[in-house]
Amino acid sequence: MYDLIVIGAGPGGYEAAAHAGRMGKKVALIEKERLGGTCLHAGCIPAKTLLRSSRLFRECREAACYGVRLGSVEFDMPAVVERKNRVVGALAKGVEGLLKRAGVEVIPGSARLAARNAVEVGGERHEAANILIATGSRPAVPPISGIDTALDSNTVFALDRIPASVAIIGGGYIGLEFACFFHEIGSQVRVYEMLPQIASGCDGEISSRLLQILKRAGIEFHLGAKVESVPAADCVLNATGRAPVLESLGLEDAGVAVSRKGIRTSDTGKTNIPGVWACGDVTGRRMLAHAATREGIVAVNNMFGRRDRIRYAAVPSVIYTHPEVASVGRTEEELKAGAIEYSKSVVPMSVAGRFLVEHEGATGMVKVLAGAKYGEILGVHAIGDGASEFIVAAAAMIETEMCVEQASEIVFPHPTVSEALKEAIAGIGRR
Ligand code: NAI
């Protein structure tokens, strides 16, 4: 009998399993494919590794702007893919080591709930006081004619050549990151988005700025364009969202409540069935690796008597486009819709000397939204390279319910791009 069985070894499941293991609990982690999940094998890490190479390729072509003259520059796709595989391999070993050190038993196979405290894997029954479902998500397959011929965020990583033209269906996180990658390596890129804006859910001003920058760079956008049949291009990418992995888990027989988005959970990770918990993309709450990790740890803490909860308002998100977009908290649109009175400050990224030093000819901005009465920080939205590394400071402010007055006392290192955040906060204080 285990204290905990975790189903799925992505960043939600493996971190939760390791956390429980370190608490001294007897833990089993069941995985049918590879340790690390989508994030490590077909998501965050491989995508960012490819984007690192494409950025370097672009920067080499632009090196003369920095006074550096290079000869001809070549993008060697097989070598880029090889490096991506090495990075993924090294991190996969890291996950294996983490689980070993935490004393987690890894069971390969597909798990199915047999009862509220038991799962079946390959005909064997394993019992546990708690079961945490962390089976993640997979690319959604929309009703688009010919969609089976398109690549998705799993299969795109097998591409070993530079396509002449790429049509991307969906202008969300995946669509935009791959649009930047393919554009930088020399493909003609078209993005089709059914909504009137890209990166929906982002603060409107930031999303408009991103659109303007990417269009100016040469990416073609078709907004308000619901794709019904796969467009003609050398390569088509389906980036229309992700769907929770729910099948073959025996959820219906066990009576676990599921909505259209995924398994229903409370803010502590509980499902409607006592002893059965869920975290990450399978819940459809915030489809982000770091949200999955935090949800998993919150669930483990609560199942073993430590009260904990995730504050979704303080979960940051980053789009690794070039330039990056990083956000945390409420958008201006959300504040307006909720009739919440707020103050706003927007500064250009160039107020930070380091931004000018690092990014020749680039633009960007940081926007801070704070409560009108008490000055509590409600949202921070930034566009510009470097934003992904300082957004955690804003997340800490929101997590601790900090007001502008206290945030203004924080010393930001100079010269860093983060000083743009400091200036945006100061902008509210000066009102
Ligand atoms: P998404 O939900 O971000 O964007 C999908 C887009 O496709 C939406 O804007 C939608 O309006 C559009 N769309 C859907 N059907 C369409 C059609 N027939 N024609 C035209 N447009 C259509 O989903 P995405 O980009 O696939 O990403 C999936 C999940 O993975 C997201 O929830 C995201 O949070 C996560 N992710 C996070 C990343 C990060 O943190 N940097 C990177 C990649 C993915």
Side-chain angles (χ1 to χ4, degrees), residues 357-368:
V357 168
E358 295 292 328
H359 310 292
E360 180 63 34
T363 62
M365 64 191 217
V366 181
K367 178 181 197 174
V368 172

Side-chain angles (χ1 to χ4, degrees), residues 48 144 169-175 177 192-195 200 225-227 239-242 287-288 318-320:
K48 268 84 261 179
I144 293 177
I169 313 172
Y173 282 65
I174 296 179
E177 290 181 4
Y192 296 87
E193 168 53 58
M194 67 181 180
L195 299 175
S200 78
K226 183 167 182 191
V227 174
T240 54
R242 296 183 63 90
M287 285 201 170
L288 297 170
V318 176
I319 314 180
Y320 295 86

